[in-house]
Structures are given as C-alpha cells and as structure tokens.
Amino acid sequence: MPATAQELTALQVAIDAAEGVRGTTSPNPPVGAVILDTDGAVVGVGATSPVGGPHAEVMALRAAGGRARGGTAVVTLEPCNHTGRTGPCAVALLEAGIARVVYAAADPNPAASGGAQTLRTAGVDVVAGVGADLVEQGPLRAWLHRQRTGRAHVTWKFAATLDGRSAAADGTSQWITGPQARARVHADRAKLDAIVVGTGTVLADDPWLTAREPDGSPAARQPLRVVVGEREIPATSRILDDAAETLVLRTRDPHEVVAALGDRPDVLLEGGPHLAGAFLAAGLVDRVQAFLAPVLLGAGAAAVEDAGVGTIARALRFERESVEQIGSDLLLTLVPERDPRT
Ligand code: AOF
Ligand code: ZN
C-alpha cells in the first residue's frame, strides 16, 4: 500500500525533527522518525542524538513505549542494519512490534544499509522513497553529498543588488538586504558545520561570523569560522575572538579548503568575490543561495569575480531549486546545471 495521508503528514513532522538537530549530529546524519499507532495517531517523535547516542528510531520508540506495537514508523532515512556506535534500528523496530515502515532516502553507507531488507524478511511492510526529494534537498543534503562524493557540501551565499553588486563604490555594504533576510541568514548559520571567508573580506568588513538570536545574542551552537588566504589579518579581527572556534588556512586553493574541513560536511562560503570565483572555477560550489535586494548601486564591487569564464559558451549555468520572497528581498536557491552530455 502506498503512503497514506497520515504518513505523509508524519514524514513532514520527521523532517522538522531532523531539521531541529541539523548541525549537532556530525559525522552522523540528522534523521527524524515518527511512530504512528494502529489508528495512525502520532505516539512518538525522535531525532538523531549527538554522535554515540541513540538514533532517531530509538528515540521515537522510547517516546511511544508500548503504543508502537502493530504501528508504523515513518523515517527520513532507511533504518540502519548494523551495530556501529549503537545497535541496529531495524532490529529495534522489529522488537517493538512495528508492522510497517515508511522511509524517504536509502542509506548509501555500505556499513549501515540493508535495514529495509531485514525488515521485509521479517514480514514488515516497507515503503521506500516516500518524499525522498524533500529529504535529499533538506536535512540529509550535506551528509548524502559527503557519502556520495567523499567531500563536504559547499553552499555559496551572497547578497547583491539588482545590478549584481555586493558593495557600493566606497566599499560600504551594510545593508543591502532587509532585516528579514538577515534574520534568515542567522537562523541558518546555527545549523552549519563551517563558514568560510577570504582574508580580503576580513580586512574589508571585519565580520564576526557568529550565529545570532533575533535579539543579537550568540546562538547556543556556533559553526567553525574559517578564514582562507595568504594575507595577514590583524590579531584584533572580530573573527579571532572566542565567541566561536576559528581556523585560519594559509591557502587560496578551494580544494585544500574543502579537504581541510574533514568531518564538517555542511559548509557555507560567504565570500568575497575572488574566493567565490575560485570555488566556482574549481567546480566546488554545490548550491547557490542568492539574496537579491530591490536596490541599485550602479557602481561598486560585484558579488563574484574571476570565475574562469571568458566567453558566453563557458558561462556557469544553474537550475532553480526554489524561489522565496523574504521581506522585500528574493532568495534564489540554485544548483549547477547538469551537463546534458553526462
Ligand atoms: C538510522 N537512524 O538516526 C541515523 C542513522 O555509528 P552509528 O551507530 O551511530 O551509525 C552511524 C551510521 O548509521 C551512519 O553512517 C548512517 O549510515 C546511519 N545513521 N541511521 O537508522 C539514524 N543517524
Ligand atoms: Zn540506526
């Protein structure tokens, strides 16, 4: 039987639970799970614990207790089949008497995959791939990318005017976008693993690069701040304070930057224009978040420079993933256009 309306609603609850722990589970994926009783009512919600702790299914089963028996588990990732730092979730679901499992993305980790088969063999009704796009573009995006490619997922974020500029002629850039867009950036930052900027941006703007609450206070969790480039930055730079960890990399090679980030799969590249150009030219931008403000400057630095494009045939082209209106600004989320020859 395909997924029911109740199960689709439960999947959205599971996605929200996964989003709630995004950034706290590395190197494990942020997974969400919901247990429905035999009537289809939600009796347990869980999400992956920090590494070494119980997986999402176990958290949701604990919340559900005996009401899980004969019920359904709705999970964003195929339940694991292995004893790693914790026991196999497929077995935990069987022991709890779950009769049906609906999940979104298959687990590509060869050490953990196979849970669906274990469940089916034991007589559980398993439905795979439900809402896979939502999960693969959502909470599991960076982790799946890392599993498939072996490297971190890089989002290049910039704010620009209608004429593609990120600063005025005199270098001032605060603020191009409105308060809602800036609040969104801070809410997103707290869930990231790392934020990367060039030394030029540190010298020009002295950014703090912390995630802040709406009242301006630092968020509980802070991504790693990464400064890359060969220029010296002053010891008094705000990015070197103790509000969050900071890594200074003396390189401008995007490949070295990505390699140095190891077990931090969800990386945000914040600029400036030359660093963004280098990442684009190296093919290391996996997603673009363009905040476009209804503002014109007519002069001033572009959001990106030197992306290795000399002629229109070599233009970097993107596909739209979403368009959102945030206050008076637009947020375009784009992914590199797939090469039709591949
Ligand atoms: C699930 N539910 O919530 C998560 C899963 O070392 P361990 O035991 O923590 O296992 C890590 C692997 O388990 C991880 O690489 C991924 O394949 C899977 N993660 N599986 O059933 C979860 N976080
Ligand atoms: Zn598991």
Side-chain angles (χ1 to χ4, degrees):
M1 184 178 68
T4 64
Q6 281 165 323
E7 289 165 353
L8 293 176
T9 304
L11 180 67
Q12 195 55 58
V13 174
I15 289 173
D16 292 345
E19 277 293 337
V21 298
R22 189 154 67 84
T24 68
T25 63
S26 278
N28 277 353
V31 176
V34 171
I35 307 296
L36 303 175
D37 68 10
T38 48
D39 296 326
V42 174
V43 291
V45 179
T48 309
S49 315
V51 66
H55 287 179
E57 297 88 325
V58 172
M59 296 300 287
L61 286 170
R62 281 186 192 170
R67 291 171 295 178
R69 193 150 297 278
T72 298
V74 179
V75 197
T76 59
L77 180 69
E78 176 184 1
C80 71
N81 198 36
H82 75 311
T83 302
R85 283 165 281 235
T86 70
C89 289
V91 172
L93 292 166
L94 290 174
E95 284 173 352
I98 288 288
R100 178 170 156 93
V101 172
V102 175
Y103 70 87
D107 190 335
N109 175 5
S113 67
Q117 195 50 48
T118 295
L119 289 160
R120 281 198 186 100
T121 304
V124 173
D125 182 19
V126 178
V127 189
V130 176
D133 284 357
L134 288 175
V135 167
E136 288 171 9
Q137 292 179 3
L140 285 180
R141 179 182 196 116
W143 184 80
L144 285 173
H145 178 88
R146 191 181 157 112
Q147 290 290 315
R148 287 174 187 149
T149 66
R151 67 167 179 84
H153 179 278
V154 177
T155 301
W156 170 44
K157 186 220 83 180
F158 67 95
T161 61
L162 283 183
D163 49 337
R165 300 178 200 275
S166 289
D170 66 353
T172 52
S173 60
Q174 293 178 352
W175 299 102
I176 289 170
T177 50
Q180 288 100 325
R182 299 200 307 270
R184 165 71 174 263
V185 167
H186 280 286
D188 287 350
R189 266 187 192 170
K191 296 179 178 182
L192 293 166
D193 294 317
I195 304 184
V196 177
V197 290
T199 45
T201 299
V202 175
L203 292 168
D205 298 345
D206 194 19
W208 197 16
L209 294 187
T210 50
R212 264 102 74 194
E213 301 289 353
D215 67 2
S217 62
R221 189 184 168 278
Q222 297 290 342
L224 176 71
R225 300 177 292 187
V226 183
V227 187
V228 310
E230 271 136 21
R231 284 198 273 171
E232 285 293 330
I233 58 167
T236 51
S237 302
R238 296 211 294 167
I239 200 169
L240 297 177
D241 74 2
D242 56 9
E245 262 186 274
T246 302
L247 176 67
V248 179
L249 294 173
R250 295 230 168 254
T251 175
R252 291 198 74 82
D253 179 347
H255 292 281
E256 284 183 30
V257 175
V258 168
L261 290 174
D263 263 339
R264 301 185 187 258
D266 198 356
V267 174
L268 187 72
L269 172 65
E270 286 224 3
H274 292 278
L275 188 62
F279 270 80
L280 287 161
L284 285 175
V285 170
D286 303 301
R287 173 170 59 177
V288 178
Q289 286 183 333
F291 286 90
L292 293 185
V295 176
L296 281 172
L297 284 166
V304 62
E305 296 281 1
D306 303 331
V309 178
T311 185
I312 194 76
R314 303 208 44 203
L316 304 173
R317 294 182 188 273
F318 296 88
E319 288 173 10
R320 186 184 62 219
E321 200 169 275
S322 65
V323 179
E324 295 167 70
Q325 224 173 303
I326 302 183
S328 50
D329 304 312
L330 279 185
L331 170 55
L332 302 185
T333 301
L334 309 167
V335 292
E337 193 173 72
R338 274 185 299 272
D339 186 336
R341 290 163 299 185
T342 60

